[in-house]
């Protein structure tokens, strides 16, 4: 990995802005090393500019770039990246955070530069993201890890096929937990709680549970709350009956994986 040189962020939308904020928060990339390419003005880019980042400079400044982070929508990446390629030096690595665009299709559009795919969550903005990394090239993988580890729990994937499943678990998972929280609140309402009270209780419980989730193995955490013959155990038994919670989550993840694969083919 080149130890220095600009990092180019191509696209400063929802995820691009989150990455930018995370880099600045965790001091992963020096502001003076940041080049941001964005068609329209973005608050995160302007905040970075105030600290020394360059926005839309002449493309000749990309010559020493160590990395181009492609954070545009999959439908436009070819036209967005093509103008940059003639200006990149041989040290550059292409880092894609796009869902569903495979390394072989990137390689076909990119040419000789090593490729690393990283699938981060927007929690990187607060230095608390989750990221999965896949690269066939060791140096590209090391660079991907170096750019995301300071702001995300970062996991290497041994093969690219696992990226869609990792995206379905880590990228979509928070939405599934929120949906479960809503369902818990509706369960409380059905059992007689006022709607607002049920929602407040469910959300606060979800937040507290999330804070403890990293402390111990999950089955031990469950065991702390669910004593044999108690009320929590009665509820857990309903969830587990006939394997229904496992089956539900398997179907949920499988549907997201199918959609990721389909989007990747577009
Ligand atoms: N959002 C997430 O949580 C998430 C998570 C994992 C992966 N991803 C991936 O991240 C990528 C971006 O997603 P997003 O949610 O951030 O989308 P988004 O908010 O629509 O951001 C895409 C950005 O790309 C910019 N753009 C378009 N053409 C460009 C060009 N030629 N040069 C430079 N920038 C250009 C757009 O600029 P304008 O605003 O000026 O049009 C827009 O701000 C997608 O490929 C997605 O699969 C997103």
């Amino acid at each position: 990995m080149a130890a220095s040189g600009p990092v180019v962020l191509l696209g400063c939308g929802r995820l691009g802005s989150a990455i930018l904020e995370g880099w600045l928060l965790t001091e992963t990339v020096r502001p003076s090393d940041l080049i941001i390419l964005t068609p329209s003005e973005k608050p995160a880019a302007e905040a970075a500019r105030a600290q020394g980042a360059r926005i839309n400079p002449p493309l000749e400044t990309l010559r020493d770039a160590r990395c181009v982070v492609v954070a545009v929508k999959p439908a436009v990446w070819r036209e967005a990246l093509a103008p940059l390629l003639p200006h990149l030096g041989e040290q550059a690595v292409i880092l894609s955070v796009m869902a569903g665009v495979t390394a072989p299709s990137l390689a076909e559009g990119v040419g000789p530069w090593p490729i690393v795919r990283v699938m981060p969550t927007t929690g990187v903005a607060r230095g608390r993201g989750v990221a999965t990394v896949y690269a066939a090239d060791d140096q590209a993988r090391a660079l991907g890890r170096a750019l995301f580890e300071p702001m995300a729990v970062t996991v290497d994937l041994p093969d690219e096929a696992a990226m869609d499943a990792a995206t379905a678990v880590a990228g979509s998972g928070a939405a599934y937990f929120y949906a479960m929280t809503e369902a818990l609140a509706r369960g409380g309402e059905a059992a007689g709680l006022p709607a607002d009270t049920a929602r407040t209780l469910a959300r606060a419980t979800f937040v507290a549970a999330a804070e403890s989730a990293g402390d111990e193995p999950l089955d031990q955490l469950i065991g702390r709350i669910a004593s044999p013959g108690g009320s929590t155990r009665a509820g857990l038994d309903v969830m587990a009956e006939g394997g229904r919670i496992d089956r539900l989550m398997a179907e949920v993840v499988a549907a997201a994986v199918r959609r990721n694969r389909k989007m990747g083919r577009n």
Side-chain angles (χ1 to χ4, degrees):
M1 171 177 99
S4 61
V7 172
V8 180
L9 179 65
L10 177 66
C12 196
R14 251 178 345 129
L15 183 59
S17 293
I19 291 170
L20 191 53
E21 287 167 8
W23 281 340
L24 294 176
L25 179 76
T26 57
E27 299 180 351
T28 303
V29 182
R30 282 197 304 259
S32 57
D33 276 344
L34 276 168
I35 293 178
I36 302 157
L37 302 177
T38 173
S40 63
E41 206 173 290
K42 302 289 180 195
E46 291 309 313
R49 192 210 297 266
Q51 297 182 47
R54 286 167 284 172
I55 301 183
N56 299 329
L59 291 180
E60 295 74 59
T61 56
L62 271 52
R63 196 182 52 249
D64 299 326
R66 64 181 135 143
C67 185
V68 178
V69 176
V70 185
V72 296
K73 291 281 192 197
V76 303
W77 75 266
R78 287 172 194 274
E79 67 197 64
L81 192 57
L84 281 53
L85 298 175
H87 299 279
L88 295 179
E90 60 181 17
Q91 75 290 341
V93 166
I94 307 293
L95 187 158
S96 165
V97 294
M98 294 181 291
V101 181
T102 63
S105 29
L106 284 162
E108 183 235 318
V110 160
W113 290 279
I115 287 164
V116 52
R117 286 187 64 195
V118 179
M119 199 47 55
T121 61
T122 50
V124 293
R126 291 171 285 120
R128 298 186 61 184
V130 181
T132 45
V133 178
Y134 169 77
D137 178 283
D138 288 344
Q139 285 192 329
R141 186 182 318 111
L143 184 133
R145 290 197 71 101
L147 285 176
F148 282 85
E149 255 174 348
M151 55 185 185
V153 173
T154 303
V155 177
D156 277 336
L157 292 180
D159 73 276
E160 192 177 11
M163 194 58 108
D164 289 323
T167 305
V169 173
S172 311
Y176 303 147
F177 289 123
Y178 299 146
M180 292 277 242
T181 306
E182 288 233 319
L184 177 62
R186 282 195 293 271
E189 205 182 330
L193 288 172
D196 281 0
T197 305
R199 195 158 293 120
T200 303
L201 291 176
R203 281 186 76 136
T205 302
F206 171 62
V207 171
E211 276 167 5
S212 313
D215 296 351
E216 295 172 54
L218 294 175
D219 57 348
Q220 284 180 27
L221 288 170
I222 292 171
R224 281 180 187 282
I225 307 168
S227 46
S231 62
T232 306
R233 177 56 59 197
L236 287 168
D237 287 348
V238 172
M239 286 175 117
E241 198 178 308
R244 72 172 137 190
I245 183 78
D246 287 344
R247 204 169 52 245
L248 172 67
M249 292 320 293
E251 285 173 19
V252 165
V253 171
V257 169
R258 278 196 300 278
R259 184 61 56 90
N260 282 333
R261 292 208 175 121
K262 193 164 172 221
M263 287 192 302
R265 285 199 296 272
N266 290 336

